[in-house]
Amino acid sequence: GENVEQHPSTLSVQEGDSAVIKCTYSDSASNYFPWYKQELGKGPQLIIDIRSNVGEKKDQRIAVTLNKTAKHFSLHITETQPEDSAVYFCAASMGGGADGLTFGKGTHLIIQP
Amino acid sequence: GAGVSQSPSNKVTEKGKDVELRCDPISGHTALYWYRQSLGQGLEFLIYFQGNSAPDKSGLPSDRFSAERTGGSVSTLTIQRTQQEDSAVYLCASTNQGANEKLFFGSGTQLSVL
């Protein structure tokens, strides 16, 4: 089955700086890569996703890049703000959707004031 | 409209007891998932319901775990003879499969087995 590795497990950055979270996956058949943000006491919420037919997608301060050859994808957050503090999960799926999603173990992002 | 609702939000039980966790998905969502989130771990898939099809139970860790979805809506996850290693947050998610793969999660049930 699919295996998703996520790094780092904890990331602390100064407010206003950029943050990058990286994930690798094992199955080259995976074609859907979402990112979820989980705030304390809440369920995860989708913030951005990318499919295998594109290499990069951007939404305001958030961007995701995908390298299918190397089987890795990354989340980039620019101009970080205190409300970006949360746990971020990457995931990969072969089904092109939520079916069979395999999640990484999460990154705890801490924005230092 | 209302999101995915889970109850109870917290459950403390004694080892060996049975527990039931409830999930009310978003109205009209045909697909429903249960995940387990242990401390410092990712989201572990447990079971998946899609419409009237037989559920995908491939993620259930043991035969002490079972789930049902009545009338294609509310779902109940049952853990029999609870063990301390069952302590975790149990998350439910729903989606309108075919229209949008985005999963909508509830806030979870924090289960503590003493």
Side-chain angles (χ1 to χ4, degrees), chain A residues 4-110:
Chain A
V4 177
E5 298 283 339
Q6 182 171 350
H7 300 280
S9 57
T10 303
L11 177 61
S12 182
V13 301
Q14 290 294 124
E15 182 178 349
D17 287 352
S18 295
V20 180
I21 302 170
K22 299 181 179 182
C23 289
T24 60
Y25 60 99
S26 60
D27 198 319
S28 57
S30 287
N31 55 17
Y32 175 64
F33 308 92
W35 286 88
Y36 283 81
K37 174 184 180 182
Q38 185 177 28
E39 296 176 343
L40 196 61
K42 298 183 179 180
Q45 182 176 10
L46 180 72
I47 55 172
I48 195 167
D49 57 13
I50 193 168
R51 298 181 191 279
S52 59
N53 56 345
V54 297
E56 184 174 359
K57 184 176 178 180
K58 199 170 182 181
D59 182 4
Q60 298 181 348
R61 297 186 297 108
I62 293 173
V64 57
T65 58
L66 171 64
N67 183 327
K68 285 222 74 180
T69 303
K71 290 189 282 188
H72 68 68
F73 56 113
S74 301
L75 178 71
H76 304 252
I77 305 174
T78 58
E79 300 171 20
T80 52
Q81 300 170 6
E83 55 264 34
D84 295 330
S85 293
V87 178
Y88 292 80
F89 292 96
C90 64
S93 167
M94 287 179 275
D99 288 4
L101 271 177
T102 300
F103 285 87
K105 292 190 175 182
T107 295
H108 185 194
L109 176 62
I110 302 165

Side-chain angles (χ1 to χ4, degrees), chain B residues 15-112:
Chain B
K15 178 181 172 181
K17 300 281 189 182
D18 298 351
V19 295
E20 285 189 352
L21 312 179
R22 178 186 168 105
C23 173
D24 280 277
I26 293 173
S27 178
H29 278 190
T30 57
L32 186 147
Y33 300 76
W34 284 97
Y35 288 89
R36 178 168 70 177
Q37 184 175 24
S38 302
L39 193 63
Q41 299 296 310
L43 301 172
E44 178 189 3
F45 165 76
L46 297 177
I47 189 169
Y48 161 55
F49 295 90
Q50 172 56 45
N52 295 321
S53 302
D56 177 357
K57 304 180 182 179
S58 60
L60 294 179
S62 77
D63 58 8
R64 296 186 296 106
F65 288 72
S66 63
E68 63 177 21
R69 188 179 184 193
T70 54
S73 181
V74 172
S75 178
T76 301
L77 177 69
T78 301
I79 309 173
Q80 295 178 310
R81 305 181 303 281
T82 52
Q83 304 294 314
Q84 288 184 334
E85 59 262 28
D86 298 334
S87 295
V89 175
Y90 289 82
L91 290 163
C92 174
S94 70
T95 186
N96 190 7
Q97 203 73 5
N100 187 344
E101 299 88 347
K102 176 180 176 180
L103 287 177
F104 294 82
F105 282 88
S107 294
T109 293
Q110 172 73 63
L111 175 65
S112 300

